[in-house]
């Protein structure tokens, strides 16, 4: 089972910062180069010597502060340095990473990264690099034997593309990422906001979090690539939760991801967020539970981006086009219309921002050390290409800088900043009118507007239904007879990709950004999904799973020291 | 010796506000437990909160640099709720929801804010109460139709304790980080060591316990675990891991930096010695002497689990959850050791020991407890969860995991009436060896720590969190063949064949005593508030000669030797 999801919060953040030439005496580069040279020399001239060695070192400095109920709840400041080694034995045409057919290898790409010292000199780093290199090369030596045997006993592959593309080496030594945030200034505001979120008796749980991460990735490969790229990422997030009388847990989360501390929202804006969040949770608490539904749906704001990500994005990731366990929804549809002809879809990690919003999926080099590039996926509704790492597929021989992974995983092609753009922007008011027209045309009492989402997930494999599930938080019924809109709770969007995409009938003029983290076989990576509102003539909603727990039996504590509340 | 007793207004259950927001929050919220009710469901007859309030330091260093630094203030607790009655409640019964506690350890807000702390406790208490009601119903359903249900009560109510002791000192992060770097840097000069780590886990602060009977207990919490772990490789490819552990109350009780650096050097030298030891080709059957740390480990692994009077946790029929691997305690009057052996546990005997305490984790005063007299079990360690042979607590209830309190030792002393000198013990063993046509005996001086395989931080962590089997004897890591002329030959790669608790009854003689402090893992995830994720337990035990033990050569797969030498060798 392969389920890929886009969520808001996960512990692997990235973002953008300038890359400038730095010192060539980087101890990490020095240690990596030393061990790589030694390793290649020792295997030189031998059968099944590694033809490729790649090192990725991730330095992370993370500050996490949270407040709840008017007090600081968490306050941490941690650093780490993790090493991933990639060794390939064989040739680029057929190497030790080749997918073994007929073997169930779920999560076989999951290696524990080697933890290296983050404050030791180069010499102290080398024993760890040595051991990790030895393990990877030995595993690759064994791997190529299994690959060759597997190829002999199985039928010919549908896509005989090489395992590894030949790419020019890259050199770019950017500056190390550093955090520039005065947490002392933020703490009082976090406390204030947490008190504000907690003010209503029905809000059971609430949380304000500030995360700041400086990440520096260093790549050294046997092809001559030497890259160092630093990125910083900051998130402020507010969360409030209540329980409906039927036990449904109503947990809303609002957040903003930025690449610079100076871009975080102002205190005034955050106070407004807090008020709005509490109000919406309380409204949802009183709202009726939604019913299963099929009919017109207007995906408003960031909800549309998540739809694009889940329904289409994962199915355009390159390696899925030659993995015969995958559904390969779009593999043979290049040149065909898969969306309305007024729609383009690109994935562009080179963009640091869009419409004034920082994008989570921005980077200069991907996790295979390839330069990030804008990938045109759909042009005027016609499928033009795929997201590519260094694993070629038929008709697409080279990377377009989308090989991505979290620490401990092998990179595969993943989304970065996935953007749906329209040639036919429609103002939101007109889009809403079209929704009502479509509802009337279909003879339904109401249509739905989906505003807020918690994320989503999808399955792309052949062994399970190729379905998606988008986790809706805020859904409105829009009645055809003019009654006021009605908020409902507890429904998710579900469906299958080709049907869903074939029912997109109009697009808004209001591109919105959803910044989150996407999980798939190469782990959690930061993403952005951008789209204007989308009007879909037919989508299905199903009831959301809900808790069976009663709300708390006692009222929440109201003062620092209270007398017991007697019935 | 702890002499200072402080009274806080909340300790006396006075209804005034005080300057201790944590204790105030605990007492305030506990006061509301009696209001928890669900129609038709039993109310809580007992509840308790336990909170660790202090600072913790978790460091890992390698070759002079830090690999991990996870340190800072910490405030964690558990909420325990019992419904029904002490005769029959929801406790000691494992179902999807654990027996008396909400969902394990609770992270409380760090700020000293009573209202916010109460909020955290409120939600956890609500969950714990609802879970307790469900758990009691499951327990009753599970017992329905069973014959021979144990009539022992579920819980023992004890008089409340009101006492407060000074807090333990917060660990000095920077000093410990410098120490970890310095000690780990020693391995830069030992290139034959493939992998090495220095781990430091330290905590200092207060351990607060309040319950609905009126217990208001503030105990010091102070412990420090420093481990030096290293792995080398023999010429045949086998890896050999060993460690040096220092478990103390705080940094002032640690050896000096130079001594710790020397311990790292000694560890490297020991590995170098064992790296070139021979591997016997044939199994060994004959007398074995357990000496020093190995003797202590033998009693720790084979005897300690048999002395806990806390009954194993019941499980629902067909229910999910981990298998309860809690070993069954020995019955009273059973022989567990040869005549002449006695065993006593006394948490109060030496207050300087890191394992010492005055009140246990259930708020019961620690008592000196005779356990074995002349080889016969005469008493069991007891917590407030009674059993037939341990009907009342003797102050040994300790949090072994997030789910349960068990009776555990603190300072266990194994004594023997007549101890032989080392030479006489060797002589007796060699005499016994003749019965097996052997010209030598085996002397085992150290056992492996299963958690240290390959020096892996993950496996180390798993073990620290309770992953290593406590009731099995780890294979020996330091073994010599000793001959009649006194010369010794180092051997390695031996594994026990069929050793269990009965080995204790095969003890022929005993020698000099050794004392060591361990972290005793529990049956599951260790209680989250402990800095060292394990219970400090000190054991003093004599070297012993066991008449017959079987050891086999390791015939497992041999790892591949790295193609390149360590870069520290300058290759």
């Amino acid at each position: 089972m392969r389920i890929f999801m886009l969520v808001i919060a996960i512990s692997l953040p990235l973002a953008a910062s300038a890359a400038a030439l730095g010192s060539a005496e980087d101890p990490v580069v020095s240690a990596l180069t030393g061990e790589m040279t030694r390793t290649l020399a020792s295997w030189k001239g031998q059968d099944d010597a590694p033809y490729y060695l790649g090192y990725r070192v991730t330095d992370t400095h993370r500050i996490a502060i949270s407040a709840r109920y008017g007090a600081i709840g968490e306050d941490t400041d941690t650093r780490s340095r993790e090493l991933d080694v990639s060794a390939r034995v064989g040739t680029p045409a057929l190497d030790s990473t080749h997918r073994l057919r007929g073997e169930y290898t779920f999560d076989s790409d999951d290696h524990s990264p080697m933890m290296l010292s983050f404050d030791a000199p180069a010499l102290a780093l080398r024993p760890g690099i040595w051991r990790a290199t030895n393990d990877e090369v030995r595993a690759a030596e064994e791997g190529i034997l299994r690959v060759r045997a597997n190829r002999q006993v199985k039928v010919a592959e549908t896509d005989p593309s090489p395992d590894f593309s030949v790419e020019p080496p890259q050199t770019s030594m950017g500056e190390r990422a550093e955090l520039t945030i005065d947490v002392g200034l933020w703490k009082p505001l976090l406390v204030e906001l947490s008190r504000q979120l907690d003010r209503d008796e029905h809000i059971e749980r609430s949380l304000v979090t500030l995360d700041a991460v400086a990440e520096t990735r260093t790549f050294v490969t046997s092809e001559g690539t030497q890259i160092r790229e630093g990125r910083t990422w900051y998130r402020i997030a507010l969360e409030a939760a209540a329980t409906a009388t039927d036990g449904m847990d109503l947990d809303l989360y609002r957040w903003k991801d930025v690449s610079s501390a100076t871009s975080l929202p102002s205190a005034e804006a955050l106070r407004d967020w807090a008020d709005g969040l509490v109000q919406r949770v309380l409204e949802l608490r009183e709202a009726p539970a939604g019913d299963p539904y099929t009919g017109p749906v207007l995906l408003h704001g960031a909800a549309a981006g998540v739809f694009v990500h889940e329904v289409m994005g994962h199915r355009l990731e390159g390696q899925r086009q030659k993995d015969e366990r995958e559904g390969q929804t779009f593999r043979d549809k290049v040149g065909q219309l898969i969306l309305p002809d007024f729609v383009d879809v690109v994935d562009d990690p080179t963009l640091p921002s869009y419409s004034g919003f920082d994008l989570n999926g921005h980077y200069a080099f991907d996790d295979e050390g390839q330069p990030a590039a804008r990938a045109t996926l759909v042009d005027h509704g016609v499928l033009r290409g795929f997201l590519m790492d260094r694993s070629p597929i038929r008709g697409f021989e080279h990377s377009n800088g989308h090989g991505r992974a979290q620490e401990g995983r092998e990179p595969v092609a993943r989304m970065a900043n996935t953007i749906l753009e329209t040639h036919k922007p429609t103002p939101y008011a007109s889009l809403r009118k079209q929704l009502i027209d479509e509802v009337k045309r279909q003879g339904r009492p109401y249509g739905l507007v989906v505003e807020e989402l918690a994320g989503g997930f999808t399955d792309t494999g052949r062994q399970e239904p190729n379905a998606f599930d988008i986790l809706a938080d805020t859904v409105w019924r829009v009645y055809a007879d003019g009654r006021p809109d009605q908020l409902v709770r507890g429904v998710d969007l579900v469906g299958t990709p080709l049907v869903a995409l074939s029912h997109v009938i109009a697009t808004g003029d209001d591109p919105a950004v959803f910044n989150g983290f996407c999980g798939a076989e190469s782990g959690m990576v930061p993403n952005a999904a951008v789209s204007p509102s989308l009007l879909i003539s037919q989508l299905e909603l199903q009831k959301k799973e809900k808790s069976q727990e009663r709300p708390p039996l006692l009222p929440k504590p109201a003062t620092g020291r209270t007398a017991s509340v007697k019935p | 010796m702890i002499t200072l007793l402080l009274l806080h207004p909340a300790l006396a259950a006075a209804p005034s506000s005080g300057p201790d927001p944590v204790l105030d929050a605990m007492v305030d919220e506990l006061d509301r437990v009696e209001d928890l009710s669900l129609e038709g469901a039993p109310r809580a007859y007992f509840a308790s909160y336990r909170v660790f309030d202090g600072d913790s330091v978790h460091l890992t260093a390698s070759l002079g640099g830090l690999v991990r630094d996870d340190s800072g203030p910490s405030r964690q607790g558990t909420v325990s709720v019992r419904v029904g009655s002490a005769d029959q409640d929801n406790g000691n019964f494992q179902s999807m929801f654990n027996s008396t506690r909400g969902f394990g350890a609770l992270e409380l807000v760090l700020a000293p804010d009573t209202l916010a702390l109460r909020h955290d406790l409120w939600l956890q208490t609500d969950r714990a109460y609802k879970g307790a009601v469900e758990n009691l119903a499951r327990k009753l359903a599970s017992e329905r139709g069973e014959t021979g249900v144990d009539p022992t009560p579920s819980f023992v109510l004890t008089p409340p304790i009101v006492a407060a002791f000074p807090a333990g000192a917060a660990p000095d992060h920077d000093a410990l980080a410098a120490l970890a770097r310095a000690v780990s840097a020693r391995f830069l000069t030992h290139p034959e060591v493939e992998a090495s780590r220095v781990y430091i886990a330290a905590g200092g602060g207060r351990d607060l316990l309040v319950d609905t009977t009126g217990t208001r207990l503030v105990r010091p919490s102070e412990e420090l675990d420093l481990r030096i772990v290293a792995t080398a490789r023999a010429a045949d490819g086998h890896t050999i891991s060993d460690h040096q552990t220092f478990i103390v109350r705080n940094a002032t009780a640690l050896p000096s930096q130079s001594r710790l650096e020397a311990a790292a050097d000694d560890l490297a030298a020991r590995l170098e010695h064992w790296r070139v030891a021979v591997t016997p080709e044939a199994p060994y059957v004959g007398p074995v002497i357990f000496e020093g740390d190995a003797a202590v480990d033998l009693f720790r692994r084979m005897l300690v689990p048999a002395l806990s009077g806390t009954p194993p946790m019941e499980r629902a029929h067909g229910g999910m959850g981990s298998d309860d691997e809690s070993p069954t305690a020995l019955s009273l009057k059973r022989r567990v050791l040869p005549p002449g052996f006695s065993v006593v546990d006394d948490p109060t005997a030496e207050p300087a020991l890191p394992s010492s305490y005055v009140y246990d984790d259930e708020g019961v005063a620690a008592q000196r407890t005779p356990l074995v007299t002349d080889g016969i079990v005469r008493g069991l360690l007891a917590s407030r969860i009674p059993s037939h042979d341990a009907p009342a607590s003797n102050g040994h209830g300790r949090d072994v995991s997030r789910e349960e309190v068990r009776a555990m030792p603190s300072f266990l002393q194994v004594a023997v009436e007549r101890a032989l000198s080392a030479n006489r013990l060797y002589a007796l063993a060699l005499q016994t060896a003749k019965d097996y046509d052997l010209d030598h005996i085996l002397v085992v001086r150290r056992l492996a720590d299963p958690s240290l395989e390959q020096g892996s931080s993950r496996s180390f962590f798993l073990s620290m969190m309770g992953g290593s089997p406590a009731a099995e004897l780890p294979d020996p890591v330091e073994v010599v063949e000793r001959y009649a002329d006194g010369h010794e030959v180092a051997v390695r790669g031996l594994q026990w064949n069929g050793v269990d608790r009965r080995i204790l009854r095969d003890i022929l003689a005993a020698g000099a005593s050794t004392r060591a402090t361990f972290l005793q893992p529990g049956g599951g995830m260790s209680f989250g508030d402990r800095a060292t994720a394990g219970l400090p337990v000190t054991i003093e035990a004599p070297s012993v000669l066991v008449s017959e033990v079987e050891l086999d050569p390791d015939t497992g797969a041999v790892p591949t030797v790295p193609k390149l030498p360590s870069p520290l060798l300058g290759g």
Side-chain angles (χ1 to χ4, degrees):
Chain A
M1 185 169 69
R2 275 142 291 154
I3 292 178
F4 309 113
M5 59 182 176
L6 182 63
V7 295
I8 300 161
I10 194 62
S11 58
L12 184 77
L14 303 176
S17 88
L21 285 178
S23 164
E25 298 303 314
D26 185 307
V28 175
V29 173
S30 165
L32 294 174
T33 306
E35 280 310 303
M36 182 179 70
T37 304
R38 220 163 62 99
T39 303
L40 293 174
S42 73
W43 257 275
K44 189 173 183 181
Q46 297 188 21
D47 290 342
D48 289 339
Y51 77 89
Y52 172 86
L53 269 182
Y55 294 100
R56 187 172 89 233
V57 171
T58 308
D59 289 323
T60 306
H61 178 204
R62 173 188 290 269
I63 293 173
I65 306 167
S66 71
R68 58 184 188 267
Y69 322 130
I72 291 293
E74 177 199 19
D75 186 355
T76 62
D77 186 330
T78 56
R79 293 174 190 270
S80 65
R81 171 171 287 165
E82 294 166 276
L83 165 69
D84 286 286
V85 182
S86 174
R88 289 172 179 262
V89 168
T91 66
L94 181 72
D95 71 24
S96 46
T97 69
H98 195 85
R99 176 73 67 185
L100 293 172
R101 288 173 292 156
E103 287 196 14
Y104 189 69
T105 54
F106 182 73
D107 271 356
S108 62
D109 295 334
D110 186 7
H111 312 246
S112 290
M114 172 71 72
M115 302 297 294
L116 298 177
S117 168
F118 51 80
D119 62 359
L123 178 63
L125 302 178
R126 289 188 59 170
I129 302 169
W130 163 60
R131 293 199 308 278
T133 306
N134 181 73
D135 291 348
E136 284 301 313
V137 174
R138 292 292 195 201
E141 284 180 317
E142 291 177 18
I144 188 65
L145 299 177
R146 295 170 63 201
V147 165
R148 286 171 181 151
N150 188 259
R151 216 177 207 201
Q152 283 177 324
V153 301
K154 302 294 181 186
V155 298
E157 289 160 310
T158 310
D159 184 346
S161 297
D163 286 325
F164 203 47
S165 64
V166 177
E167 310 285 358
Q170 305 292 325
T171 305
S172 172
M173 295 300 287
E175 291 183 355
R176 291 190 160 275
E178 299 288 345
L179 290 179
T180 55
I181 186 166
D182 187 341
V183 293
L185 291 177
W186 275 91
K187 285 182 185 176
L189 179 60
L190 300 187
V191 169
E192 177 197 329
L193 291 167
S194 74
R195 195 173 288 127
Q196 193 178 340
L197 288 177
D198 190 42
R199 68 168 193 261
D200 189 276
E201 61 178 327
H202 297 299
I203 300 295
E204 292 159 21
R205 289 169 284 117
S206 56
L207 190 67
V208 183
T209 55
L210 177 67
D211 283 287
V213 175
E215 182 179 272
T216 302
R217 289 198 170 195
T218 305
F219 300 90
V220 171
T221 75
S222 54
E223 296 166 324
T225 288
Q226 284 195 7
I227 294 168
R228 187 175 62 206
E229 182 178 5
R231 309 169 202 166
T232 54
W233 174 88
Y234 300 85
R235 169 176 288 188
I236 181 82
L238 277 60
E239 185 177 5
T243 306
T245 51
D246 63 1
M248 183 174 287
D249 192 25
L250 303 164
D251 193 344
L252 283 192
Y253 186 82
R254 288 181 182 168
W255 74 104
K256 185 166 188 183
D257 294 352
V258 295
S259 59
S260 161
T262 56
S263 303
L264 286 165
S266 67
E268 202 51 45
L270 289 168
R271 290 183 191 110
D272 289 344
W273 276 23
D275 283 341
L277 184 62
V278 169
Q279 184 180 342
R280 180 52 51 85
V281 172
L282 296 178
E283 288 168 354
L284 281 169
R285 189 173 172 274
E286 300 298 326
D291 296 318
Y293 168 90
T294 182
V297 174
L298 175 54
L299 300 175
H300 184 40
V306 176
F307 174 83
V308 173
H309 178 102
E310 296 297 347
V311 177
M312 189 170 63
H314 279 299
R315 293 173 174 81
L316 296 179
E317 291 165 340
Q319 75 281 353
R320 304 194 197 293
Q321 316 312 316
K322 66 177 181 183
D323 184 340
E324 296 183 29
R325 299 170 305 173
E326 290 284 343
Q328 300 178 333
T329 311
F330 297 115
R331 191 191 69 174
D332 299 322
K333 290 189 165 28
V334 176
Q336 296 180 26
L337 200 67
I338 62 168
L339 276 169
D341 62 4
F342 51 86
V343 165
D344 297 340
V345 181
V346 299
D347 193 285
D348 192 350
T350 68
L351 287 180
S353 63
Y354 195 96
S355 297
F357 290 91
D358 288 350
L359 297 178
N360 260 8
H362 169 59
Y363 51 83
F365 293 91
D366 72 6
D367 296 325
E368 293 182 310
Q370 295 305 300
R374 179 181 176 94
T376 298
L377 304 172
V378 175
D379 183 23
H380 287 82
V382 176
L383 179 63
R384 292 300 180 197
F386 298 99
L387 301 160
M388 296 298 297
D389 60 358
R390 293 188 65 176
S391 177
I393 59 175
R394 191 170 48 208
F396 299 88
E397 285 83 25
H398 291 281
S399 168
N400 52 27
H402 284 80
R404 308 188 68 196
Q406 77 172 65
E407 296 80 2
R409 302 292 183 102
E410 286 293 325
V412 298
R414 301 286 297 275
M415 286 173 274
N417 296 322
T418 310
I419 302 164
L420 184 147
E421 292 177 321
T422 180
H423 298 284
K424 203 159 82 178
T426 305
Y428 183 70
S430 300
L431 214 53
R432 183 183 157 89
K433 182 174 180 306
Q434 286 186 47
L435 168 71
I436 295 170
D437 292 345
E438 184 66 22
V439 168
K440 290 177 179 171
R441 191 186 69 75
Q442 294 185 20
R444 301 183 184 281
Y446 60 82
L448 296 176
V449 174
V450 178
E451 274 189 354
E452 285 187 272
L453 295 176
F457 57 89
T458 190
D459 199 309
T460 63
R462 297 184 189 187
Q463 289 182 319
E464 306 83 19
N466 248 241
F468 61 84
D469 188 335
I470 295 175
L471 309 170
D473 277 339
T474 306
V475 178
W476 296 88
R477 285 179 184 154
V478 177
Y479 287 94
D481 62 8
R483 272 181 282 170
D485 294 354
Q486 182 182 31
L487 185 65
V488 295
R489 60 183 167 84
V491 281
D492 286 341
L493 280 69
V494 295
T496 50
L498 292 175
V499 171
L501 292 175
S502 68
H503 286 82
V504 175
I505 56 175
T507 50
D509 64 352
D510 51 356
V513 173
F514 182 100
N515 276 316
F517 293 83
C518 173
E521 61 269 60
S522 65
M524 301 299 292
V525 295
N527 284 80
V530 183
S531 174
S533 296
L534 297 177
L535 178 57
I536 300 166
S537 60
Q538 189 161 15
L539 259 186
E540 186 169 342
L541 278 83
Q542 71 175 25
K543 281 180 179 286
K544 193 191 285 286
E545 184 184 13
K546 77 175 180 68
S547 164
Q548 300 299 312
E549 298 300 322
R550 286 172 183 257
L553 301 173
L554 299 177
K556 69 181 176 183
T559 66
R561 192 170 176 82
T562 58
S564 298
V565 178
K566 304 287 185 187
Chain B
M1 180 177 297
I2 299 170
T3 57
L4 186 58
L5 185 68
L6 301 174
L7 273 182
H8 176 270
L11 290 175
S16 62
S17 62
D20 190 332
V22 180
L23 193 58
D24 285 348
M26 295 167 74
V27 171
D28 284 359
E29 215 44 44
L30 199 66
D31 280 349
R32 296 208 299 164
V33 168
E34 64 179 356
D35 299 325
L36 286 167
S37 69
L38 284 164
E39 190 177 347
R43 288 183 176 245
Y45 78 92
F46 176 86
S48 66
Y49 296 150
R50 185 172 169 220
V51 171
F52 167 77
D53 180 30
D55 291 271
S56 63
V57 170
H58 293 272
L59 300 162
T60 305
S62 175
L63 300 171
L66 292 181
V67 174
R68 177 194 178 207
D69 182 355
D70 183 5
S71 307
S74 175
R75 186 174 289 144
Q76 294 180 312
T78 52
V79 173
S80 178
V81 174
R82 291 176 177 273
V83 300
S85 69
D87 283 340
Q88 188 161 47
D89 69 17
N90 52 299
N92 217 37
F93 181 80
Q94 184 80 44
S95 65
M96 287 290 286
F97 195 92
N98 65 45
S99 59
T100 64
R101 292 174 176 176
F103 294 93
L106 165 68
E107 297 278 345
L108 294 162
V109 294
L110 292 176
D113 184 299
T114 303
L115 183 58
L117 288 160
R118 286 188 60 189
H119 200 124
D120 283 336
L121 291 167
W122 163 61
L123 289 174
Q124 188 78 352
T125 307
D126 187 80
R127 286 192 285 264
Y129 171 68
K130 292 169 182 167
V133 169
E134 284 202 284
N135 213 49
L136 176 58
R138 289 192 181 114
K139 184 177 180 180
L140 295 174
S142 180
E143 291 176 352
R144 179 170 294 179
E146 283 187 3
T147 56
V149 173
D150 186 355
T152 309
S154 297
F155 192 60
V156 176
L157 290 166
T158 57
I161 297 290
V162 179
F165 299 89
D172 183 337
H173 167 271
D174 292 349
L176 290 175
L179 183 66
R181 286 191 187 96
V183 175
S184 69
R186 293 303 306 161
F187 290 99
L188 285 167
T189 62
H190 298 290
E192 72 282 1
V193 172
E194 272 191 18
S196 60
R197 288 278 194 270
V198 173
Y199 300 92
I200 295 180
R206 308 182 300 164
D207 186 331
L208 301 98
L209 178 70
V210 301
D211 69 31
T212 45
T213 70
T215 287
R216 306 286 185 263
L217 184 59
V218 183
R219 301 179 298 167
S221 178
E222 207 173 14
E223 53 196 37
L224 191 155
D225 173 13
L226 186 151
R227 292 186 183 217
I228 310 168
V229 181
T231 301
R233 191 182 297 267
D236 62 7
H238 278 112
T239 54
I240 305 161
S241 296
D242 202 356
H243 65 108
Q244 191 72 44
T245 302
F246 302 89
I247 297 167
V248 293
R249 274 212 185 280
N250 53 41
T252 60
L254 273 177
S256 67
Q257 179 174 322
S258 60
R259 280 177 177 259
L260 290 168
E261 289 173 346
D265 291 337
D266 288 347
L267 176 57
R270 219 159 57 215
L271 286 172
E272 180 62 17
H273 178 68
W274 294 104
R275 221 161 59 89
V276 297
V278 298
T279 303
E281 292 180 357
Y284 174 91
V285 182
V288 169
I289 292 177
F290 290 80
E291 225 174 53
D293 285 349
V296 175
D297 228 354
L298 174 72
F299 285 100
R300 171 200 181 195
R301 302 277 181 174
M302 296 291 110
L303 180 64
V304 165
L307 295 176
S308 175
T310 306
M313 194 171 278
E314 294 176 52
R315 292 186 56 205
H317 293 310
M320 295 177 66
S322 61
D323 289 335
D324 186 355
E325 294 174 349
S326 307
T328 307
L330 284 163
S331 305
L332 296 183
K333 303 177 186 173
R334 279 273 305 272
R335 174 166 299 284
V336 65
L337 284 162
F341 276 84
S342 64
V343 182
V344 171
D345 191 86
D346 188 355
T348 63
E350 294 191 27
L353 287 175
S355 55
S356 172
Y357 56 85
V358 177
Y359 294 100
D360 72 4
D361 293 342
E362 295 180 307
V364 178
Q367 298 170 26
R368 181 180 187 277
T369 306
L371 299 164
V372 176
T373 305
D374 207 23
I376 306 290
V377 178
R378 297 294 180 190
L380 293 175
L381 303 166
S383 67
R384 292 175 71 172
I385 302 171
S387 62
H388 179 267
D389 287 342
S393 174
N394 48 31
H396 285 84
R398 304 182 74 184
D399 272 306
V400 296
S401 73
R402 291 180 178 183
E403 284 78 28
E404 62 176 320
V405 173
R406 291 187 63 78
M408 298 285 286
S410 162
F411 178 28
L412 192 84
Q413 293 169 281
V414 180
V416 63
E417 280 179 7
R418 182 166 164 267
L420 303 181
S421 68
N423 283 337
R424 290 195 61 188
L425 202 61
Y426 292 146
L428 179 58
L430 284 160
Q431 183 66 34
T432 308
K434 289 177 182 171
D435 295 342
Y436 296 86
D437 294 331
L438 294 168
D439 62 350
H440 65 277
I441 57 166
L442 289 186
V443 181
V444 178
R445 294 187 170 128
R446 289 172 61 78
L447 304 184
D449 184 335
S451 62
L452 302 181
E453 184 188 351
Q454 303 280 329
S456 141
S457 59
R458 181 174 173 276
S459 57
F460 179 80
F461 176 76
L462 283 174
S463 168
M464 294 283 285
M465 299 300 281
S468 67
E472 292 178 8
L473 197 61
D475 290 325
V477 70
E478 190 173 326
V479 190
V480 295
E481 293 174 349
R482 187 179 175 92
Y483 292 82
D485 62 1
H487 89 275
E488 293 182 347
V489 176
V491 293
R492 62 177 169 83
L494 288 171
Q495 300 174 330
W496 305 113
N497 184 347
V499 171
D500 60 27
R501 195 163 67 201
R502 284 167 294 192
I503 192 175
L504 298 176
R505 289 196 292 190
D506 294 336
I507 293 173
L508 280 183
S513 283
T514 300
R515 177 185 293 185
T517 297
F518 300 94
L519 290 176
Q520 182 76 14
M525 294 290 283
S526 289
F527 184 50
D529 69 0
R530 302 201 72 89
T532 49
L535 290 174
V537 173
T538 303
I539 297 177
E540 190 172 270
S543 298
V544 290
L545 165 61
V546 179
S547 58
E548 181 183 302
V549 183
E550 186 172 347
L551 292 104
D552 296 334
D554 180 3
T555 55
V558 180
T560 312
V561 178
K563 192 175 179 68
L564 285 168
S566 164
L568 297 180
L569 286 166

